[in-house]
Amino acid sequence: MTGIGWLAALIVGALAGWIAEKIMKSEMGLLLNIVLGILGAMILNAILFALVGGTLGGWIGQLIVGAAGACLLIFVVRLIRGRA
């Protein structure tokens, strides 16, 4: 996560995963929320950097990117499992 420390990345990742869980109406635990939030932010940051040459910075920017990325990951998992 660009521009924030590892502790902040855990907090933002947990919040982003929780937001994605509520948006996508899926039931996950705290650990999976953190993982999805951080992985989602990493993946979407890489995509944004490749397309635009930059990404959103700070806590709020990373929260938005993390939540959107986690929603994307949940959608992909549902596609693979056949429940999209």
Side-chain angles (χ1 to χ4, degrees):
M1 294 187 155
T2 307
I4 60 177
W6 65 270
L7 181 59
L10 288 176
I11 294 168
V12 171
L15 286 172
W18 179 78
I19 290 169
E21 176 185 56
K22 298 304 175 193
I23 291 171
M24 299 297 288
K25 295 178 177 50
S26 63
E27 295 297 322
M28 300 175 287
L30 177 64
L31 184 61
L32 193 55
N33 282 343
I34 293 171
V35 170
L36 282 177
I38 292 173
L39 283 177
M42 289 172 51
I43 291 169
L44 202 54
N45 273 323
I47 292 169
L48 285 174
F49 194 78
L51 293 176
V52 185
T55 186
L56 300 176
W59 286 64
I60 300 298
Q62 289 304 304
L63 182 62
I64 293 167
V65 170
C71 285
L72 180 66
L73 287 177
I74 293 170
F75 178 74
V76 168
V77 168
R78 287 181 178 173
L79 276 180
I80 293 170
R81 289 185 178 173
R83 296 184 311 166

